[in-house]
């Protein structure tokens, strides 16, 4: 709810948002009944629409998980999927989300040089490879940021995940060769079994969101599914079990 203070002689008023304390010009509807038309300042009560209130109460959230070791640090951050609006008013997934890995070399005791960080974006399929990795398994991913462009092959990124010799975890090794700036760097960090388990648990939780499936689930309404299911009954379970 908002309190509006307006002069009795003008049609323009200022609305003050109680959350942000900002004021916004607002033209008074002549059909609004004033509570005290004699006062020099009139107070009205109005209610924000649900959409406006959600915009005010939904701040951005930045999250991540970091692993710090003697020679390097690794930060893991999810990135959301992207959607595009359709003429019908619905939205279509245009790009799946991903997990951003950031490697930074050590610059001293418990200090890391993030200006020299190297990044690697894990696709949903690559995340699946890590999730299915066994204690003695290894995997390798190759990325070319300029693939299909004029600078293809000028930048090569290789991420290797290999088991530690003593079986206590995995090595994450990111090698980046950038011919555009004459740079060749390799950053590696050991990840213990416990740390790897935390990563896998976070990956399992994040995958449906990276696919955008949560938006579909959240859009399901009981009153909107009955007719649709009846109309498409022959294309769903009925067809499956009637084969």
């Amino acid at each position: 709810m908002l309190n509006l203070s307006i002069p009795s002689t003008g049609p323009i008023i200022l609305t003050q948002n109680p959350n942000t304390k900002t004021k916004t010009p607002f033209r008074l509807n002549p059909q609004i009944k004033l509570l005290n038309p004699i006062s020099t300042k009139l107070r009205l009560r109005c209610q924000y629409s649900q959409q406006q209130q959600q915009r005010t109460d939904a701040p951005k959230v930045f999250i991540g998980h970091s692993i710090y070791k003697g020679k390097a640090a690794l930060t893991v951050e999810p990135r959301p999927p992207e959607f595009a609006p359709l003429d019908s008013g619905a939205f279509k997934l245009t790009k799946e989300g991903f997990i951003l890995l950031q490697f930074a070399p050590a610059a001293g005791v418990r200090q890391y040089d993030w200006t020299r960080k190297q990044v690697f974006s894990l696709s949903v399929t690559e995340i699946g490879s890590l999730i299915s990795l066994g204690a003695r398994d290894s995997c390798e991913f190759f990325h070319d940021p300029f693939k299909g462009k004029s600078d293809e092959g000028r930048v090569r990124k290789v991420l290797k995940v290999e088991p530690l010799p003593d079986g206590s975890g995995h090595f994450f090794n990111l090698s980046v060769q950038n011919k555009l700036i004459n740079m060749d760097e390799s950053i590696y960090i050991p990840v213990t079994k416990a740390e790897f388990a935390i990563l896998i648990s976070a990956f399992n939780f994040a995958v449906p969101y990276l696919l955008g499936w949560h938006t579909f689930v959240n859009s399901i309404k009981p009153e909107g599914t009955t007719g649709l299911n009846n109309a498409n009954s022959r294309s769903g379970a009925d067809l499956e079990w009637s084969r």
Side-chain angles (χ1 to χ4, degrees):
M1 302 292 288
L2 295 179
N3 290 328
L4 309 181
S5 296
I6 64 173
S8 58
T9 58
I12 303 299
I13 64 176
L14 293 178
T15 66
Q16 179 169 326
N17 188 325
N19 296 320
T20 64
K21 304 302 182 183
T22 57
K23 294 184 178 180
T24 305
F26 173 73
R27 184 174 296 277
L28 182 62
N29 189 325
Q31 296 180 353
I32 295 179
K33 184 177 180 181
L34 303 181
L35 300 181
N36 188 0
I38 301 177
S39 174
T40 58
K41 284 191 175 183
L42 308 176
R43 302 185 67 82
L44 303 176
R45 294 181 67 82
C46 68
Q47 187 173 9
Y48 263 137
S49 68
Q50 184 178 4
Q51 183 179 6
Q52 290 172 320
Q53 194 65 40
Q54 288 176 344
R55 290 178 180 176
T56 303
D57 298 336
K60 289 185 177 180
V61 178
F62 300 95
I63 61 171
H65 177 66
S66 299
I67 300 174
Y68 301 99
K69 295 299 172 69
K71 293 185 177 181
L74 169 62
T75 294
V76 182
E77 298 178 359
R79 290 292 188 267
E82 297 178 5
F83 300 85
L86 302 177
D87 294 338
S88 63
F91 288 85
K92 179 181 179 180
L93 178 73
T94 57
K95 183 180 179 181
E96 293 180 347
F98 59 92
I99 297 292
L100 181 65
L101 305 182
Q102 300 184 71
F103 295 77
V109 180
R110 297 183 180 180
Q111 295 181 347
Y112 304 91
D113 188 355
W114 291 100
T115 63
R116 293 174 53 202
K117 73 178 180 181
Q118 299 295 337
V119 301
F120 195 93
S121 300
L122 289 173
S123 67
V124 172
T125 302
E126 292 168 338
I127 294 171
S129 297
L130 286 177
I131 291 175
S132 61
L133 210 61
R136 293 293 180 181
D137 295 335
S138 61
C139 61
E140 179 176 324
F141 309 118
F142 168 76
H143 284 186
D144 182 349
F146 297 103
K147 186 176 182 180
K149 302 179 181 179
S150 59
D151 286 328
E152 181 175 353
R154 304 293 298 277
V155 178
R156 295 171 51 89
K157 295 185 177 183
V158 179
L159 175 65
K160 295 181 179 180
V161 181
E162 301 174 315
L164 293 171
D166 59 0
S168 61
H170 286 81
F171 260 126
F172 278 63
N173 189 346
L174 176 61
S175 299
V176 180
Q177 185 182 54
N178 190 335
K179 296 180 180 179
L180 298 174
I181 58 176
N182 195 25
M183 184 268 293
D184 193 348
E185 187 166 9
S186 180
I187 304 176
Y188 68 90
I189 180 172
V191 177
T192 66
K193 283 184 178 181
E195 293 165 339
F196 191 72
I198 294 298
L199 293 179
I200 298 307
S201 179
F203 291 168
N204 274 302
F205 177 83
V207 164
Y209 294 88
L210 301 180
L211 292 171
W213 283 35
H214 64 294
T215 58
F216 168 73
V217 173
N218 293 338
S219 69
I220 296 176
K221 297 180 180 180
E223 65 274 13
T225 57
T226 303
L228 180 63
N229 288 338
N230 289 339
N232 296 327
S233 60
R234 292 299 299 171
S235 63
D238 290 351
L239 282 179
E240 173 68 20
W241 296 110
S242 63
R243 291 178 181 177

